[in-house]
Amino acid sequence: MTFDQVVAALTVAAIFITPLVAFAAAALRFGVDSRPGVDDRDSRPWLVPPGQPL
């Protein structure tokens, strides 16, 4: 393998690995899971069946 092939392989690997590292850092900084829990009420009234309280 020549030096150019090694550099090209490392560049391609960096293109795929860099966003994963950035997303991992953002998840650690801002919270891994921001979905509502079981106890959180759904604030979208169009999803509530008719006759049910909001």
Side-chain angles (χ1 to χ4, degrees):
M1 282 184 26
T2 65
F3 181 73
D4 291 339
Q5 290 174 330
V6 172
V7 171
L10 291 174
T11 303
V12 170
I15 288 172
F16 285 101
I17 292 173
T18 302
L20 295 176
V21 171
F23 285 137
L28 291 174
R29 170 64 179 92
F30 297 108
V32 175
D33 191 1
S34 62
R35 294 177 294 180
V38 175
D39 296 332
D40 295 333
R41 295 186 68 103
D42 194 352
S43 62
R44 298 173 289 183
W46 57 88
L47 294 177
V48 177
Q52 297 290 324
L54 294 176

